[in-house]
Amino acid sequence: MTPLIGITCGLEKRDEISRVYISSDYVNAVVAAGGVPVLLPPLAKPYDLGKVESLFGTVSGLLLTGGVDVDPVHYGEEPLPALGRVDPDRDRLELVLARRALAEGMPVLGICRGIQVLNVAAGGTLYQDVPSQLQPAGQVLLHSQRAPCWYPTHEVRLSKGSKLQAVFGCERLRVNSFHHQAVRSPGRDLVVTARAADGIIEAIESVTHPFAVGVQWHPECMWEADAIFLRLFSRLVEEAAAFSRLRVATEITEAS
Ligand code: MN
């Protein structure tokens, strides 16, 4: 069976119409990697954990996508002036899904906002705004590139022995960069597996979970230009297939 990969979506209001949306780059990357994409929209109030549980039970892997800022209330901070737009419904859905995935061993890949959601779900903290919080203390790189999105603008160094390094098969990688927030302190059981030259955390992964990985860059914009970036999605799909087989086997055992 081809595994279903849940892709989280955002909300936006344009021309007085509220829309659920996600960049088709995420959908295309999952398809190219051999998975079946399933879009998971933020759920409107009244909140119903049973519905979130149904979404969780439908998919075998989770792709937490890029988007607006995570509300700092979820990591115990008040908002700073440079905090961007937040989406309470999306925060709520993604944090529940990420915590369920971490608890159940469901494969999860977080991209940009997604690495931040994964980290906050595990009790970690974020920089609400890298330029205003870190620039005064010293040099930080340009993390909001104005180059085309498929074009890598800064290097990251991958940690030896990490899952991420195994996926890419190298220790230095050039990536794109479209973020003003970043992971500050990694959450429970998460370790840093890539940093930019200015020390900004560019990837994290769980040391206790089969595959819970977050990257700060956007591989979904890069794989068509450089196939190496498709490997991350291929690994997510492989891990999801393994999780799906395991879940079916567990259900059969429990039923008999
Ligand atoms: Mn960056």
Side-chain angles (χ1 to χ4, degrees):
M1 279 285 285
T2 311
L4 304 188
I5 306 295
I7 302 177
T8 58
C9 299
L11 289 171
E12 66 175 3
K13 197 167 186 181
R14 236 190 312 136
D15 308 326
E16 293 306 303
I17 299 172
S18 180
R19 301 164 202 265
V20 174
Y21 77 98
I22 197 60
S23 162
S24 55
D25 288 340
Y26 295 102
V27 174
N28 298 342
V30 166
V31 171
V36 176
V38 177
L39 302 191
L40 308 178
L43 300 176
K45 294 187 191 75
Y47 292 127
D48 180 345
L49 276 176
K51 287 178 184 164
V52 178
E53 198 56 29
S54 291
L55 289 180
F56 183 77
T58 300
V59 300
S60 305
L62 188 61
L63 178 52
L64 300 167
T65 55
V68 298
D69 292 354
V70 177
D71 187 335
V73 75
H74 295 299
Y75 47 95
E77 289 186 14
E78 293 293 305
L80 297 178
L83 181 73
R85 194 159 67 84
V86 298
D87 181 341
D89 290 342
R90 185 175 181 184
D91 279 351
R92 187 174 190 282
L93 177 78
E94 290 186 337
L95 286 169
V96 173
L97 289 175
R99 287 184 182 127
R100 292 287 288 122
L102 287 170
E104 297 295 323
M106 179 189 281
V108 50
L109 173 62
I111 292 177
C112 198
R113 168 188 162 88
I115 183 180
Q116 295 160 12
V117 168
L118 186 64
N119 188 49
V120 171
T125 64
L126 307 178
Y127 287 109
Q128 293 185 34
D129 180 60
V130 167
S132 59
Q133 288 183 275
L134 290 180
Q135 186 71 64
Q139 281 222 310
V140 289
L141 298 176
L142 176 66
H143 288 280
S144 303
Q145 74 184 51
R146 292 174 281 271
C149 70
W150 54 267
Y151 184 72
T153 59
H154 73 64
E155 188 179 86
V156 294
R157 289 194 177 241
L158 310 182
S159 304
K160 278 190 187 128
S162 64
K163 288 178 184 126
L164 198 66
Q165 195 223 342
V167 166
F168 287 110
C170 57
E171 283 168 30
R172 297 165 64 176
L173 190 65
R174 289 195 70 80
V175 301
N176 59 8
S177 198
F178 295 93
H179 57 109
H180 81 109
Q181 300 202 311
V183 170
R184 186 169 190 163
S185 64
R188 192 172 49 254
D189 297 331
L190 296 175
V191 293
V192 176
T193 54
R195 283 183 195 271
D198 57 3
I200 291 292
I201 294 173
E202 292 274 345
I204 55 174
E205 66 188 40
S206 171
V207 291
T208 55
H209 183 287
F211 189 77
V213 170
V215 296
Q216 189 56 68
W217 68 91
H218 283 274
E220 82 283 3
C221 299
M222 304 183 78
W223 64 271
E224 282 184 290
D226 185 346
I228 196 173
F229 290 101
L230 190 62
R231 291 185 193 174
L232 207 46
F233 299 96
S234 302
R235 180 70 188 273
L236 173 67
V237 171
E238 283 163 24
E239 294 282 344
F243 178 78
S244 173
R245 287 192 296 271
L246 188 69
R247 186 154 65 180
V248 168
T250 308
E251 279 164 8
I252 290 169
T253 310
E254 282 171 1
S256 60

